[in-house]
Amino acid sequence: MKKIGLIGYGWLGSRISTVISKNYKIYTTTTSPGKLQEIISKGIHAELAVFGKGQEEFTDPWSVVPDLDVIIITVPFSEKRSSHQELQDKFSKLFSFIGKFEKQIFFMSSTSVYPDDPGIFTEEMLRPEDVFVENHIKKGFPRVNILRLGGLMGDERLLKNFKVSDLSGVVNHIHFKDIAEVILKMIEKNVHGKVYNVVAPFHPSKREVIAAQNKQLIDKVHDNNKQRIISSEKLISELDYTFIYADPKKFHL
């Protein structure tokens, strides 16, 4: 059985683990001492690893790395929440923790790297070298797969549970199960060095999504030509991938 290292057992990491643990042995990390025993009780090998600001001391390099077949990094690296210096320090800790790893590796980026303007955005419109965070992960791991994730949804994360503005705007969302299945597909195909937008291919308005989640019927009220749409066509074509949750109006079903 292949061994997967999952760095970051937060909201997304824990759900990816639930999906992929059926076929792979999971080794993971958490920043919370309180969560450690809870994770271990699920039969998952877990260790503490903190990469954030203010951590004077840091854990030794991850001892399991030489035995891993795949590493998935879900630890967030947000330019909106951290300065470039803080992010550089965080990457330095991450690189020291992983060490040399030349097998398959995944990094969770975000569609927020694209301009907040109307239009259809594809991967070719923005190189990783021109994105601060993506450029840094590629310096450490040149063959890394970068997944630009849409708004994370699934389970209790439903649009109706958020304070929402601009209800006429369309969504660029993704269900966590599709993220996990895309990763599994890429592992199966032994894909390296790719950048993919991981976003559900349908883009209803926020009003439509909330109405569906509240079991209400409304007419379609937006014009996609005037909206910001993140395209997942490259992923669909190259991986021959069929989304489990293609329509965000059905994420709650």
Side-chain angles (χ1 to χ4, degrees):
M1 179 178 285
K2 281 191 174 182
K3 298 176 181 178
I4 292 182
L6 182 60
I7 299 180
Y9 197 84
W11 189 90
L12 178 59
S14 62
R15 283 160 178 78
I16 289 176
S17 173
T18 298
V19 176
I20 68 177
S21 61
K22 299 170 186 176
N23 300 309
Y24 298 94
K25 185 171 179 61
I26 306 298
Y27 295 77
T28 193
T29 70
T30 178
T31 60
S32 171
K35 286 185 178 180
L36 192 60
Q37 288 305 317
E38 176 188 342
I39 299 170
I40 293 173
S41 70
K42 296 177 181 179
I44 299 173
H45 178 96
E47 297 181 30
L48 287 174
V50 182
F51 306 96
K53 178 182 176 183
Q55 300 298 319
E56 299 299 331
E57 299 295 331
F58 188 64
T59 185
D60 293 331
W62 205 10
S63 61
V64 303
V65 168
D67 298 323
L68 298 176
D69 298 287
V70 178
I71 289 179
I72 303 168
I73 302 168
T74 68
V75 175
F77 285 79
S78 172
E79 288 189 65
K80 294 181 179 179
R81 299 180 182 178
S82 304
S83 68
H84 281 189
Q85 184 59 56
E86 289 170 343
L87 289 171
Q88 287 174 336
D89 292 343
K90 193 172 180 180
F91 271 119
S92 179
K93 292 178 180 180
L94 177 68
F95 295 156
S96 296
F97 184 62
I98 296 174
K100 186 177 182 180
F101 188 78
E102 297 179 344
K103 301 175 188 176
Q104 203 175 26
I105 187 165
F106 295 84
F107 180 78
M108 303 299 110
S109 183
S110 168
T111 56
S112 65
V113 299
Y114 294 109
D116 192 18
D117 299 319
I120 298 175
F121 293 90
T122 65
E123 294 86 344
E124 288 70 27
M125 296 171 71
L126 185 62
R127 303 183 312 152
E129 290 78 8
D130 296 325
V131 179
F132 182 83
V133 167
E134 295 180 0
N135 184 44
H136 268 67
I137 194 67
K138 280 186 70 68
K139 286 180 179 178
F141 306 103
R143 300 178 72 211
V144 64
N145 291 307
I146 297 173
L147 303 185
R148 293 172 176 168
L149 307 181
L152 302 180
M153 292 292 165
D155 286 345
E156 79 286 352
R157 289 181 68 96
L158 297 175
L159 195 59
K160 70 174 184 178
N161 296 330
F162 290 82
K163 185 177 180 180
V164 179
S165 60
D166 184 20
L167 290 173
S168 63
V170 300
V171 301
N172 292 286
H173 288 170
I174 184 66
H175 195 286
F176 70 84
K177 286 187 178 178
D178 276 305
I179 299 172
E181 291 296 336
V182 165
I183 292 172
L184 288 174
K185 190 85 165 181
M186 293 175 73
I187 292 174
E188 175 190 336
K189 291 178 173 289
N190 195 32
V191 174
H192 292 266
K194 287 291 186 177
V195 178
Y196 286 129
N197 295 333
V198 187
V199 180
F202 294 152
H203 304 272
S205 69
K206 298 173 188 177
R207 181 177 284 110
E208 290 174 87
V209 173
I210 293 172
Q213 292 170 357
N214 287 324
K215 299 181 180 179
Q216 299 170 346
L217 294 176
I218 62 170
D219 294 329
K220 184 176 178 179
V221 291
H222 66 275
D223 179 358
N224 278 358
N225 292 325
K226 300 178 181 179
Q227 300 285 350
R228 175 179 181 269
I229 293 176
I230 311 300
S231 172
S232 55
E233 287 304 312
K234 180 181 176 182
L235 178 156
I236 294 170
S237 174
E238 292 188 358
L239 297 181
D240 189 25
Y241 184 73
T242 301
F243 279 80
I244 301 170
Y245 291 95
D247 187 348
K249 297 197 303 295
K250 300 180 180 179
F251 280 7
H252 62 293
L253 300 178

